[in-house]
């Protein structure tokens, strides 16, 4: 049985009329840049994420870059980032003029640890980026307890965690709610994906909202008047229309992913070679990815592909070992928990439409490999 890693055509078939109507209305109006769908989506995402402001931009990468630019980093300024993440988390630090300081992760959740952050802080630390990897939040309350007394802003990279939440004290806190800035990606494969690139910045801070709104429009608030040098990083009206049509389904899609994840974990209980994902009891995971830790990962990957089972490795090389960051002087062994994860992690199909039979086929294929 063929099981793709993700089946966007199945999702599209289920919402075709709603999304086409929204897109058609943009086409009929012909207002492709900063049309009314953009602020409408910003308002809805702000409400979902309990943020005072939401600022649409061109990608999840730019959602990181614009707040980093707003920090006005000087050469040698440091930004602490996890090394086990998508490249953009650290690439944007470099492009904003900062120096990424890579830290290790928790082997259980794959998220950055407060202890590693604390150990990496120096007088040059200007920000901390926390990634809510694979759809579950890092322990923000513990990160903030370290960062806030030192006045260090925390950026939550919630590209994989839209709508994820964590119980802090008596209150559910949303991904992107409690940091200085939160960032979202609408890359098509995300839990809320557009028909191309898109991203959003979340913040409770009026000053940061104003600054990033300006930076995304070439640094000006009035056309052809530029207070500073920014860039062109708007969210397309067409993308906003697609996302507005999809947003009402996001909660049920993420709930379906959770159900599929539970089903996998139950089935994998009898496959002792694999370690299934752990959900921190304080978290509501949105399972952007269902990621196992396994021995002989690369051979398993080939075996699954040969059986028609979609799977992927997020991420095969930690960022501190990427050739482009060689100048920072990290060596293999510098951040061993992340390096182990790059050798052992494998993600399986967990999209909302994957069927029980398909999940059985995935589990059988993994079991067959280890028996
Ligand atoms: C953790 C993380 N950060 C940042 C990004 C960048 O988002 P985009 O691809 O929309 O630029 C992604 C998405 O690919 C991501 O997974």
């Amino acid at each position: 049985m063929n099981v793709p890693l993700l089946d966007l055509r199945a999702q599209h078939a289920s919402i075709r009329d709603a999304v086409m109507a929204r897109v058609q209305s943009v086409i009929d109006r012909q207002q492709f840049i900063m049309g009314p769908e953009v602020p409408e989506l910003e308002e809805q995402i702000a409400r979902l994420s309990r943020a005072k402001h939401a600022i649409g931009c061109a990608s999840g990468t730019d959602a990181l870059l614009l707040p980093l630019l707003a920090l006005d980093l000087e050469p040698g300024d440091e930004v602490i980032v996890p090394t086990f993440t998508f490249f953009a988390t650290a690439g944007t630090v470099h492009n904003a003029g900062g120096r990424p300081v890579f830290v290790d992760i928790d082997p259980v959740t794959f998220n950055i640890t407060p202890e590693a952050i604390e150990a990496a802080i120096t007088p040059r630390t200007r920000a901390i980026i926390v990634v809510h990897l694979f759809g579950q939040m890092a322990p923000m309350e513990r990160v903030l307890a370290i960062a806030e007394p030192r006045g260090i802003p925390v950026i939550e990279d919630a590209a994989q965690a839209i709508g994820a939440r964590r119980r802090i004290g008596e209150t559910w806190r949303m991904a992107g709610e409690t940091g200085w800035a939160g960032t979202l990606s609408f890359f098509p494969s995300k839990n809320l994906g557009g028909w191309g690139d898109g991203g959003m910045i979340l913040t409770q801070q009026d000053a940061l909202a104003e600054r990033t709104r300006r930076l995304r429009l070439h640094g000006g608030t009035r056309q052809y008047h530029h207070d500073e040098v920014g860039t062109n990083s708007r969210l397309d009206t067409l993308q906003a229309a697609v996302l507005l049509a999809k947003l009402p389904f996001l909660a049920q899609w993420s709930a379906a992913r959770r159900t599929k994840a539970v089903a996998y974990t139950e089935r994998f209980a009898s496959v002792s070679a694999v370690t299934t994902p752990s959900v921190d009891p304080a978290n509501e995971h949105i399972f952007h990815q269902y990621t196992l830790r396994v021995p002989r990962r690369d051979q398993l990957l080939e075996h699954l592909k040969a059986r028609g089972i979609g799977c992927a490795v997020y991420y095969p090389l930690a960022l501190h070992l990427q050739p482009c960051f060689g100048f920072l002087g990290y060596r293999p062994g510098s951040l061993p928990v992340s390096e182990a994860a790059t050798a052992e992690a494998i993600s399986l199909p967990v999209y909302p439409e994957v069927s029980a039979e398909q999940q059985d086929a995935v589990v059988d294929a993994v079991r067959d490999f280890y028996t």
Side-chain angles (χ1 to χ4, degrees):
M1 180 186 287
N2 249 348
V3 188
L5 182 60
L6 177 66
D7 187 354
L8 285 175
R9 277 180 296 195
Q11 183 196 72
H12 180 60
S14 72
I15 56 161
R16 194 176 184 285
D17 291 348
V19 74
M20 294 305 280
R22 273 285 193 171
V23 167
Q24 190 63 53
S25 92
V26 176
I27 292 171
D28 290 342
R29 211 179 329 106
Q30 293 284 302
Q31 191 182 346
F32 297 115
I33 302 296
M34 297 304 267
E37 285 79 2
V38 175
E40 185 182 347
L41 181 72
E42 289 173 336
E43 195 197 307
Q44 291 194 21
I45 300 275
R47 200 173 319 128
L48 165 74
S49 303
R50 303 196 353 163
K52 185 169 179 195
H53 305 279
I55 299 104
C57 61
S59 66
T61 300
D62 278 3
L64 287 162
L65 181 64
L66 298 178
L68 286 164
L69 289 173
L71 289 171
D72 298 312
L73 299 175
E74 305 276 347
D77 280 351
E78 297 173 356
V79 177
I80 295 173
V81 296
T83 187
F84 189 66
T85 175
F86 180 65
F87 182 76
T89 313
T92 50
V93 171
H94 180 80
N95 284 339
R99 181 183 176 91
V101 173
F102 292 108
V103 300
D104 221 336
I105 55 161
D106 170 13
V108 176
T109 62
F110 299 108
N111 275 328
I112 195 167
T113 69
E115 294 77 12
I117 291 172
E118 191 158 27
I121 290 174
T122 75
R124 298 303 304 267
T125 305
R126 294 291 318 282
I128 297 162
I129 304 184
V130 169
V131 181
H132 302 315
L133 201 70
F134 300 150
Q136 81 168 317
M137 286 178 66
M140 282 304 293
E141 69 287 3
R142 294 182 53 215
V143 174
L144 293 170
I146 293 165
E148 279 180 347
R150 296 170 168 92
I152 302 172
V154 177
I155 298 174
E156 298 179 68
D157 180 344
Q160 303 185 7
I162 185 171
R165 51 185 197 160
R166 177 174 179 83
R167 191 175 273 285
I168 299 179
E170 291 303 301
T171 315
W172 283 105
R173 299 303 195 124
M174 304 302 295
E177 177 187 347
T178 57
W180 174 69
T183 69
L184 301 174
S185 163
F186 303 123
F187 186 82
S189 64
K190 295 292 194 274
N191 286 34
L192 181 66
W195 286 0
D197 281 310
M200 202 165 276
I201 299 153
L202 307 168
T203 185
Q204 314 293 356
Q205 311 286 327
D206 295 343
L208 178 62
E210 195 185 317
R211 185 88 190 273
T212 50
R213 278 201 183 98
R214 196 165 79 188
L215 283 167
R216 77 175 169 178
L217 289 174
H218 284 302
T221 41
R222 270 193 307 147
Q223 209 174 17
Y224 308 124
H225 294 77
H226 304 274
D227 308 302
E228 63 177 319
V229 178
T231 186
N232 173 3
S233 184
R234 298 172 291 234
L235 178 66
D236 262 20
T237 310
L238 274 170
Q239 297 305 337
V242 169
L243 294 163
L244 279 166
K246 288 189 174 192
L247 186 56
F249 301 95
L250 176 63
Q252 79 194 48
W253 287 336
S254 292
R257 285 171 177 267
R258 270 193 293 283
T259 306
K260 311 288 173 188
V262 169
Y264 271 135
T265 296
E266 283 170 7
R267 286 164 168 81
F268 279 126
S270 59
V271 187
S272 60
V274 311
T275 305
T276 51
S278 256
V279 184
D280 180 327
N283 277 341
E284 188 172 81
H285 202 314
I286 63 156
F287 281 100
H288 175 57
Q289 299 296 343
Y290 182 89
T291 303
L292 298 177
R293 295 189 81 126
V294 298
R296 294 192 287 133
R297 194 270 318 277
D298 291 341
Q299 292 97 309
L300 175 65
L301 191 80
E302 291 312 313
H303 166 83
L304 292 179
K305 284 190 172 156
R307 293 266 290 247
I309 308 288
C311 52
V313 171
Y314 307 114
Y315 297 92
L317 184 61
L319 298 188
H320 67 285
L321 299 178
Q322 296 289 343
C324 65
F325 290 133
F327 72 96
L328 294 172
Y330 294 91
R331 293 280 170 267
S334 308
L335 297 167
V337 182
S338 297
E339 290 169 37
T342 61
E344 294 171 5
I346 185 167
S347 299
L348 300 177
V350 73
Y351 55 93
E353 300 81 8
V354 73
S355 69
E357 295 69 36
Q358 287 175 310
Q359 288 198 276
D360 285 339
V362 174
V363 176
D364 288 347
V366 173
R367 184 185 291 112
D368 290 349
F369 179 76
Y370 289 108
T371 48

